[in-house]
Amino acid sequence: MSDQFDFISANDRPALLAFSTPEWLDSVRTCVQELGYKVHTAATHSDFLIRFSQVRYQLVVLEECFAANTMEENLTLRSLQNMPMSQRRHAAVILLGSSFQTFTPTQAFEKSVHAVINSSELFLIKQLIEKSVGDNAMFLHSYREASNRVYSAGKN
């Protein structure tokens, strides 16, 4: 069944994957599903942007050369980087590729993502994603708590 019309319920943990390398996609999809996420995959840049705008994904894993020959040509990554933080803060964004050193904060900051993972460590992807999501949740905990209080106060 295609995930194009997959219903997302309030209890689901949606994840969006964008890969051009089928082996990497299969590995990451399996691990993310084992972590309890409902997985959607994007086939193109426009598919990614449409999906990302329609669902508040908790996790996004993106290949550095998704639908591109180089990272600089990766329109999806550039779109995420140029997106206002308020539109992407709900998702832990992980960039996977051969040009990164896993969990290097400066590389992640430079690419405007939460974590970078070297593709040579794909055999550890489940643990690396768990750590990335946990670190992101801890880092943004105070912000999210304050945002919820402000939002709740505005409703009263």
Side-chain angles (χ1 to χ4, degrees), residues 6 12 22 27 43 46 56-57 62 67 71 74 78 80-81 91 98 100 102 116 118 127 144 152-153 156:
D6 195 12
D12 286 332
S27 294
S46 60
R56 287 184 57 89
Y57 288 100
L62 175 65
M71 195 174 353
N74 186 336
R78 283 202 323 229
L80 280 171
Q81 291 168 332
S98 59
F100 305 116
T102 298
V116 292
N118 188 286
Q127 294 89 336
R144 289 178 178 146
S152 295
N156 295 329

Side-chain angles (χ1 to χ4, degrees), residues 23-132:
E23 300 82 25
W24 293 5
L25 173 61
D26 291 342
S27 294
V28 173
R29 179 185 306 155
T30 299
C31 291
V32 170
Q33 286 172 332
E34 287 174 4
L35 291 170
Y37 289 91
K38 184 174 263 190
V39 177
H40 291 167
T41 57
T44 64
H45 297 299
S46 60
D47 185 29
F48 179 93
L49 294 175
I50 290 167
R51 288 176 181 276
F52 193 80
S53 69
Q54 293 176 344
V55 175
R56 287 184 57 89
Y57 288 100
Q58 293 180 8
L59 174 64
V60 172
V61 185
L62 175 65
E63 182 178 350
E64 69 181 331
C65 292
F66 172 61
N69 293 319
T70 66
M71 195 174 353
E72 291 73 27
E73 294 175 2
N74 186 336
L75 297 176
T76 300
L77 178 59
R78 283 202 323 229
S79 295
L80 280 171
Q81 291 168 332
N82 292 322
M83 203 175 281
M85 188 54 96
S86 62
Q87 290 180 344
R88 59 188 169 107
R89 191 172 278 134
H90 55 84
V93 180
I94 300 170
L95 190 57
L96 179 79
S98 59
S99 64
F100 305 116
Q101 185 175 0
T102 298
F103 292 146
T104 303
T106 54
Q107 286 181 322
F109 179 77
E110 177 186 322
K111 299 300 177 195
S112 297
V113 298
H114 297 101
V116 292
I117 297 175
N118 188 286
S119 56
S120 68
E121 299 190 57
L122 206 52
F123 68 99
L124 291 171
I125 196 68
K126 184 176 178 183
Q127 294 89 336
L128 297 173
I129 289 174
E130 276 183 308
K131 180 176 177 8
S132 298

